[in-house]
Amino acid sequence: MDAMEKLQILTDAAKYDAACTSSGLNRAGKRGTLGNAAACGICHSFSADGRCISLLKVLMSNACVYNCAYCVNRRENDSRRATFTPRELADLTIAFYRRNYIEGLFLSSAVVKNPDYTCERMLETLAILRNEYRFGGYIHVKGIPGASPELIRALGLLADRMSVNIEFPSQKSLALHAPDKKKDAILAPIRQIRENIRESKNELALFRSAPKFAPAGQSTQMIIGATEETDRHILLLSQSLYRKYAMKRVFYSAYMPVVSAPNLPVPGGKPPLLREHRLYQADWLLRFYGFEAEEILDEANPNFNPLLDPKCNWAVNHLHLFPVDVNRAPREMLLRIPGVGVKSANRILAARRLAPLTFENLAKLGVVMKRAQYFILCSGRQMPEARIRESALIPLLGSRHVFGGAETPMEQLSMFDTTQEDLAKCISGQI
C-alpha cells in the first residue's frame, strides 16, 4: 500500500491515545532550522471522532505482537495492518508541516517484533527529522515498555516530551487484560525518564550547551471504566505519580468498547465520559488547588457524585467552613470556594489591598457568582438570594441554571455525539 493508505490506517488506530497535548515548551525557531515549539497548541482541524488536534497523531505500526484484550490493535484482532518506514513517516511529517496542517508530531506504536526493534524504528524517524530536516517543531514520543535504557535515553534526547502508558490503575487489571505487559516493565522507563530529566537539568545548570532530555517532561495515560477500580483508587494513584515520578500530566481515557473480550464492556456501549470528566476536574484540584486525594474522596464515598463537580461536592460536605469572607480569607481558602479559580483568587488578593471588595467587584474579577454566592461573604454580608436551606443547595448547584445549558446534570456534552452539521456550526462560531 502507498503512504497515504498507511496514514489513513495508522492515524485512525492512534485516536484512542488521549495523551497528546503540546504544552510545556517554548523553544523559538533558529536560523537554518524548520519550525519551532513556541506557543504550541493552536488547533487547525478536527479528527474524525471530533477531537481538536494540532499534531500529526500517528502510529509507527499497528502490527502488534501483544494480545491485550482491550486494544483494537491486538494480535488476534482481524484488522488491516500497516507499518511506516522511518523515511516515509519523516517525509510525511515535513510535508504536512510545510502545508501548515500540523505544528508537530505525536508518535506512538504497537510493538513490532520486540520493544527494542520498535524503538529503533521510532528513533530513526526522529533522527531524520531533527538531523536531516533540521526540524525544530514539537515532538511527543511514546516510550515502549521493555526497551533498553540506551534506546529510551536516545529517544528523550530528540523528543520534547515522552510518555509511557500505565494502561490500568492496578496490577490485577493489567494481568487480567494485558498479560504480556508487566507492571515493572512499565514503571522502569517511567523511572528512567524521571532520572534522566533530573540529570539533564543539573547538567544545564553547569553547562548551557548541555543536551536537553525531554524538556517538556513526561506524561502517562490510564484507561478508566473498563475495570472495577473506584475513583478514589484512581485518584490516589494519580497523586502518587505526580509526587513520585514528577509527571506533567496524567490522562484519563474513558474506555470505548470497540472489541469483544471477556470481563470488558460489550462493544457498542457508550464510554463513561462523565466519569472521565470528573477525574480531570479532580486532577486539576490536585495540581493547582492544594487538595489531597484523601480529601476529595474517602473510603465511605469512593466514587464521584454525578450531580456535582468534585470541588462543589467537597464544599457541600464541609459547610462548617463556609461562608468565607473574601476580604479576609487566605489564598488557600479562596481556592476552595466553588466558582473561584486560580486566576480569580490571585485577582482577589491583589484587588482587596486597594479597597474592600463587593459582590459586583467579584463578578468583574472572574468569579462565577452562580456557584460562589452560596459560600462567600463580602465584609460580613451575604447575598440575600444565597440564604437558602442546606437541603436545596445540591439541586441548585447541579441545575442547568448554574452550569448553563445541559438538560440534566447527568449528561455530559461530547463531540462523540455531535453531528457534522453541528460541528461545522461550532467551528464557524454560530453555536
Side-chain angles (χ1 to χ4, degrees), residues 39-224:
C40 279
I42 302 172
C43 298
H44 295 299
S45 62
F46 287 90
S47 62
D49 61 354
R51 295 176 185 269
C52 198
I53 57 171
S54 61
L55 307 177
L56 173 57
K57 185 178 176 183
V58 67
L59 297 184
M60 191 88 202
S61 173
N62 67 342
C64 194
V65 298
Y66 292 162
N67 200 37
C68 303
Y70 58 90
C71 185
V72 70
N73 300 317
R74 66 180 181 177
R75 183 177 66 242
E76 293 181 358
N77 197 32
D78 184 17
S79 60
R80 294 182 72 193
R81 306 292 177 171
T83 301
F84 275 121
T85 66
R87 173 62 62 182
E88 282 177 330
L89 188 50
D91 288 349
L92 274 172
T93 302
I94 294 302
F96 282 7
Y97 182 84
R98 285 173 171 160
R99 288 168 174 78
N100 201 31
Y101 295 162
I102 60 169
E103 293 173 290
L105 173 67
F106 175 87
L107 180 59
S108 184
S109 182
V111 179
V112 186
K113 295 186 180 180
N114 58 65
D116 278 355
Y117 178 83
T118 308
C119 266
E120 286 169 359
R121 308 273 287 187
M122 298 169 77
L123 181 59
E124 187 178 347
T125 303
L126 267 59
I128 293 171
L129 287 170
R130 294 298 198 203
N131 301 329
E132 183 176 326
Y133 283 112
R134 306 279 291 166
F135 181 65
Y138 184 88
I139 297 179
H140 181 155
V141 66
K142 285 280 184 182
I144 306 296
S148 67
E150 293 79 13
L151 289 171
I152 295 294
R153 176 168 175 77
L155 280 172
L157 291 173
L158 294 175
D160 294 303
R161 174 172 285 185
M162 290 193 71
S163 57
V164 178
N165 284 356
I166 206 162
E167 305 296 3
F168 286 106
S170 72
Q171 170 65 32
K172 178 183 175 183
S173 295
L174 187 67
L176 180 63
H177 301 297
D180 297 315
K181 297 181 179 179
K182 306 300 178 186
K183 177 183 176 182
D184 292 341
I186 292 174
L187 291 179
I190 292 176
R191 195 179 300 114
Q192 181 192 345
I193 293 168
R194 177 199 62 188
E195 293 305 317
N196 287 343
I197 290 173
R198 286 178 180 174
E199 292 170 5
S200 176
K201 288 180 178 178
N202 292 335
E203 291 172 0
L204 285 166
L206 298 173
F207 309 102
R208 189 166 59 181
S209 59
K212 295 179 180 180
F213 183 92
Q218 72 166 321
S219 58
T220 191
Q221 175 181 314
M222 67 181 82
I223 299 167
I224 56 103

